[in-house]
Amino acid sequence: MRTNSLFLDLAEKRVSVRQYTDEPVPRDALERCLEAARLAPSACNSQPWHFVVIDDPEKRRALAAAASGGILPINHFVHTAPVLVAVLATRPNATAAFGAWVKKKTFAMMDVGIATEHFCLQAAEEGLGTCMLGWFNERQVRRALALPTGTRPLLLLTVGKPATPPPPRKRKPLEEIISWNTFT
Ligand SMILES: Cc1cc2nc3c(=O)[nH]c(=O)nc-3n(C[C@H](O)[C@H](O)[C@H](O)COP(=O)(O)O)c2cc1C
C-alpha cells in the first residue's frame, strides 16, 4: 500500500526489540513516552494505569529475573534493556467498573494496552526500541516493586537503543482480516 502518512510510517517503524545496547535512555525521551501514554483514551476516562520506570540496576535485575525465570526459556533479552517499565492497572473509577461489570468486558486491560502502545509509538519516534512482555512471574514483580493491593502489573516494557536491525514484519494480509458491511 502506498501511503503518505507520518502515522503509518511510525506504526511501521515500531517493532518488538529484543536486543539492546547499553547506552542510557535520555530522560526527556522517556518523559515524552510517558506523556504519550498519559494522553491515551480509556473507558469513562478512568485512566486506570500507573507506570513504574525502573532504571536502578538492582531493581532491574530483580524484574528481569521475574520475566525470564521459570521453565520456559524466554525473555532472557530483558537483561539487556537499560530501562524497564512496569505497567500497572489501578482501580478504575466507579462508572468504568460498573460498565465493565454490566458489559462483561475488561475495560481496564484494554485501557492499559492502549496506553502502553502510545508509549511504544512515541519510543519508536524517539529512535528507542521497546518490547511488551506479558509473560512474567507476577508475584515476583509485585514483591520487587512492593506493589499495594488494588494495583496489578499487566505488562512489563523493555526500553533502550536497539542493538540489531528490526526483524521482518509478520502480519496477516489485509484481505484476511477485513470485510466490509458483513463478516466474510
Ligand atoms: C500483550 C502482549 C504481550 C506480549 N508478551 C511478550 C513476551 O512475554 N515476550 C516477548 O518476547 N514478546 C511479547 N510480546 C511481543 C509480541 O510477540 C509482538 O508484538 C508480536 O510478535 C508482533 O511483533 P512486533 O511487535 O515486532 O510487530 C507481547 C505483545 C503483546 C501485545
Side-chain angles (χ1 to χ4, degrees):
M1 189 192 298
R2 302 193 111 212
T3 70
N4 215 349
S5 157
L6 287 176
F7 178 75
L8 271 181
D9 290 346
L10 181 60
E12 181 83 38
K13 193 166 162 195
R14 188 224 52 85
V15 289
S16 293
V17 170
R18 296 190 175 86
Q19 187 72 42
Y20 298 92
T21 70
D22 48 20
E23 265 178 88
V25 177
R27 174 98 181 196
D28 58 336
L30 262 181
E31 283 171 356
R32 285 188 292 273
C33 296
L34 292 161
E35 173 63 2
R38 188 179 76 90
L39 294 174
S42 56
C44 305
N45 202 20
S46 176
Q47 305 166 64
W49 46 56
H50 187 96
F51 300 82
V52 185
V53 183
I54 301 117
D55 56 1
D56 170 74
E58 206 169 304
K59 278 245 160 85
R60 245 187 323 130
R61 265 193 295 278
L63 279 204
S68 59
I71 43 167
L72 290 181
I74 60 164
N75 291 343
H76 285 293
F77 68 92
V78 179
H79 289 274
T80 70
V83 173
L84 299 176
V85 179
V87 189
L88 316 180
T90 57
R91 284 209 173 93
N93 65 25
T95 337
F98 181 68
W101 177 73
V102 172
K103 291 295 167 194
K104 299 197 176 11
K105 289 185 185 173
T106 47
F107 289 143
M109 285 202 183
M110 300 179 203
D111 299 338
V112 165
I114 294 166
T116 306
E117 178 63 354
H118 271 213
F119 182 110
C120 294
L121 286 169
Q122 181 62 31
E125 173 75 13
E126 304 280 349
L128 294 168
T130 54
C131 185
M132 295 184 204
L133 305 170
W135 184 276
F136 55 85
N137 184 315
E138 200 171 314
R139 213 150 41 102
Q140 266 176 264
V141 171
R142 297 196 70 84
R143 204 174 324 125
L145 299 177
L147 297 181
T149 48
T151 62
R152 182 175 180 201
L154 290 183
L155 288 167
L156 294 181
L157 266 181
T158 53
V159 189
K161 285 269 178 199
T164 49
R169 257 281 151 61
K170 287 187 226 151
R171 286 295 187 271
K172 295 176 182 174
L174 257 192
E175 315 81 76
E176 199 182 312
I177 59 165
I178 307 282
S179 51
W180 294 77
N181 299 316
T182 183
F183 181 88
T184 53

